[in-house]
């Protein structure tokens, strides 16, 4: 079994990009869930899966809004951080300690332009969503 996990907050503008991808994947019949990124929730979402694909916004300095990073962990080497207090690295550490990692984990981190209060993705992040959905679906096949 595979799962797409969209991480984000619908009221923090570009932070909702993962939620948009999960919604689009679910609309295509893919097993997809939306998450706020809390580590225990991520463990439950990927429990028993062969492949978990996570999509989340990332705040980078400097940023290129809409740029996508595909990695087994968030791109911290070049200054990126999750847009959440706790995030995917914390969930991976917890899952590893508990023996609850999926067989494979792919993370798509989308550079955000705006994570302030409000709804709606910025233009560069919204433009990245269709391509990102196609990439995620390709990873699942």
């Amino acid at each position: 079994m595979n799962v797409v996990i969209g991480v984000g907050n619908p009221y923090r503008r570009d932070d909702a990009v993962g939620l948009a991808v999960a919604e689009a994947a679910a609309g295509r019949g893919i097993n997809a869930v939306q998450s706020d990124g809390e580590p225990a929730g991520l463990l439950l979402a990927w429990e028993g899966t062969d492949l978990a694909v996570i999509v989340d916004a990332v705040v980078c300095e400097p940023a290129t809004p809409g740029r996508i990073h595909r990695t087994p962990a968030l791109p911290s080497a070049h200054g990126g951080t999750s847009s959440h207090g706790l995030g995917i690295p914390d969930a991976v550490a917890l899952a590893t300690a508990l023996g609850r990692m999926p067989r494979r984990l792919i993370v798509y981190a989308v550079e955000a332009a705006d994570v302030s209060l409000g709804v709606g993705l910025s233009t560069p992040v919204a433009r990245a969503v269709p391509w990102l959905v196609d990439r995620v679906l390709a990873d699942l096949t």
Side-chain angles (χ1 to χ4, degrees), residues 4 14 19 44 49 51 56 62 82 103 115 121 135:
V4 175
D14 287 343
L19 306 178
L44 288 173
T49 63
L51 171 62
D56 194 8
S82 172
R103 289 172 127 194
V115 292
L121 301 175
R135 277 297 305 249

Side-chain angles (χ1 to χ4, degrees), residues 22-122:
E23 184 177 336
R28 294 189 188 185
I30 302 299
N31 180 30
V33 297
Q34 295 183 340
S35 171
D36 62 5
E38 191 272 325
L42 290 173
L43 267 68
L44 288 173
W46 71 42
E47 188 170 24
T49 63
D50 292 319
L51 171 62
V53 179
I54 298 177
V55 181
D56 194 8
V58 65
V59 177
C60 294
E61 291 295 329
T64 303
R67 181 169 36 182
I68 298 164
H69 304 269
R70 181 183 184 275
T71 179
L74 284 176
S76 58
H78 63 279
T81 59
S82 172
S83 58
H84 314 285
L86 292 175
I88 298 163
D90 302 296
V92 168
L94 179 60
T96 300
L98 297 174
R100 294 180 60 189
M101 281 293 292
R103 289 172 127 194
R104 286 183 51 219
L105 175 65
I106 298 171
V107 177
Y108 283 95
V110 182
E111 291 188 29
D114 182 1
V115 292
S116 66
L117 293 176
V119 296
L121 301 175
S122 67

